[in-house]
Amino acid sequence: MSETTKKTVQPNKQQLLNRLKRIEGQVRGVHQMIENDRYCVDILHQISAIQSAMNKVSLALLEDHTHHCVVNAIKGQDGEAAIQELMSVMKTMTK
């Protein structure tokens, strides 16, 4: 995973952090379920819930990025690069 030097203020930062904390708790729960030899199907249901929650975080970040970073780039004449970057992210997310 590569990091860039671009930074932005997350308008929904606290909401995202709260969601991620809940996801952390769910992951710890799955860990305990496996340690305690819980039924596989129950564990798989929890994993599915975690994946769904992560998708919601991704979509929230994507929405924020589009409404702020991409819009600002278009206004500042950097629109084509921002759209290409956005499409690259979308392709990665849908793999």
Side-chain angles (χ1 to χ4, degrees), residues 5 15 23 55 63 65 83-84:
T5 57
Q15 289 174 323
I23 293 167
N55 286 339
E63 185 175 359
H65 177 69
I83 291 169
Q84 286 178 358

Side-chain angles (χ1 to χ4, degrees), residues 27-74:
V27 171
R28 282 191 300 276
V30 167
H31 185 270
Q32 289 175 343
M33 291 174 80
I34 292 172
E35 279 185 341
N36 296 330
D37 297 321
R38 292 282 301 273
Y39 185 52
C40 296
V41 173
D42 292 340
I43 297 169
L44 290 167
H45 282 276
Q46 289 302 312
I47 291 171
S48 178
I50 292 167
Q51 290 171 327
S52 177
M54 285 301 297
N55 286 339
K56 287 179 183 179
V57 170
S58 294
L59 288 174
L61 277 169
L62 182 63
E63 185 175 359
D64 286 347
H65 177 69
T66 303
H67 284 291
H68 297 95
C69 301
V70 175
V71 167
N72 289 336
I74 289 170

Side-chain angles (χ1 to χ4, degrees), residues 3-8:
E3 289 187 36
T4 66
T5 57
K6 294 180 184 179
K7 291 187 179 189
T8 187

